[in-house]
Amino acid sequence: QQQVKQSPQSLIVQKGGISIINCAYENTAFDYFPWYQQFPGKGPALLIAIRPDVSEKKEGRFTISFNKSAKQFSLHIMDSQPGDSATYFCAADTGRRALTFGSGTRLQVQP
Amino acid sequence: GAVVSQHPSWVICKSGTSVKIECRSLDFQATTMFWYRQFPKQSLMLMATSNEGSKATYEQGVEKDKFLINHASLTLSTLTVTSAHPEDSSFYICSASNSGTSTDTQYFGPGTRLTVL
């Protein structure tokens, strides 16, 4: 099973708040989990990525939490800003470097 | 570093014509490039994996004869949509992995908006 399930489909957060996006997978062969940010009309840009050997990774305001036993991972955006308003995609890779993307979450950060 | 470009950024063509989209890695060599397709407000769907000097590997349901992929060098892959029809209208995005590193990071191009009239 190659599917990666992402939720919520859309999210509205107040400026300064925490945005949380969740993903779940079935394929235990996945060993690389990146998150991408995409603005309208642009290609996705890598935000942060994690491997199953760690449970959490933080880069600036972005944190990935990874639960290997539950086959779930999430993105936390701390101190959300209006400039963070975009579509966020989780993804997973088995090592053949072909990404399977989640369905996307449209984040709107209100000022 | 790790910049991927695409050309053109948008194209409008008549039904039945062919359109070529270029994907270039500007500051690194990419043994493998990937082509994705994205419909409005939807996720990216992998179409094919392009390997330098060999035939592309297509995902199930993607027509090889309609979407021709050529990866002639370590910095250039092309996607040609042959005999395009309105249902081929979409946002086409390429990505590339840096063959000089051990990471799986993929760098995406800015995308090409194809509209078939």
Side-chain angles (χ1 to χ4, degrees):
Chain A
Q1 184 72 359
Q2 294 291 321
Q3 192 174 17
V4 177
K5 297 182 179 180
Q6 184 171 345
S7 64
Q9 186 176 22
S10 63
L11 180 63
I12 299 175
V13 174
Q14 295 296 316
K15 179 182 176 181
I18 303 174
S19 303
I20 302 174
I21 304 170
N22 301 298
C23 284
Y25 63 97
E26 292 293 329
N27 188 350
T28 55
F30 287 141
D31 65 355
Y32 176 69
F33 302 88
W35 283 89
Y36 285 86
Q37 177 190 58
Q38 185 180 32
F39 292 103
K42 304 295 183 182
L46 178 68
L47 272 178
I48 187 172
I50 198 168
R51 293 192 179 275
D53 54 346
V54 297
S55 60
E56 185 174 283
K57 183 175 182 180
K58 182 177 181 179
E59 289 184 1
R61 295 186 295 112
F62 302 95
T63 300
I64 297 179
S65 296
F66 186 83
N67 186 328
K68 187 175 181 178
S69 61
K71 292 185 284 188
Q72 296 175 347
F73 58 110
S74 61
L75 175 69
H76 295 230
I77 305 175
M78 312 300 287
D79 188 26
S80 299
Q81 299 296 313
D84 296 331
S85 297
T87 299
Y88 292 81
F89 292 97
C90 63
D93 176 23
T94 60
R96 73 181 184 109
R97 300 194 175 187
L99 295 169
T100 299
F101 281 86
S103 55
T105 296
R106 298 170 70 88
L107 171 65
Q108 182 180 349
V109 181
Q110 294 184 334
Chain B
V3 178
V4 176
S5 70
Q6 280 185 241
H7 178 81
S9 56
W10 59 270
V11 57
I12 301 173
C13 69
K14 293 182 178 180
S15 183
T17 61
S18 294
V19 175
K20 179 184 285 188
I21 302 170
E22 293 186 348
C23 176
R24 294 181 184 271
S25 56
L26 299 184
D27 50 4
F28 66 98
Q29 293 185 330
T31 305
T32 305
M33 290 184 173
F34 303 88
W35 287 95
Y36 295 83
R37 182 173 181 176
Q38 186 178 33
F39 290 107
K41 297 185 180 182
Q42 294 190 23
S43 188
L44 287 80
M45 298 300 295
L46 179 66
M47 298 175 66
T49 302
S50 170
N51 297 295
E52 186 266 337
S54 63
K55 291 183 179 180
T57 302
Y58 290 82
E59 296 299 301
Q60 191 174 10
V62 177
E63 298 177 58
K64 301 178 182 181
D65 296 333
K66 182 165 190 63
F67 299 99
L68 301 180
I69 292 173
N70 183 276
H71 193 157
S73 76
L74 287 173
T75 60
L76 173 64
S77 176
T78 61
L79 168 67
T80 301
V81 183
T82 62
S83 186
H85 288 90
E87 58 266 28
D88 298 324
S89 298
S90 188
F91 194 49
Y92 292 89
I93 311 173
C94 71
S95 71
S97 292
N98 189 337
S99 57
T101 71
S102 61
T103 68
D104 295 317
T105 302
Q106 284 191 32
Y107 301 96
F108 282 81
T112 296
R113 174 76 59 193
L114 170 63
T115 301
V116 185
L117 302 177

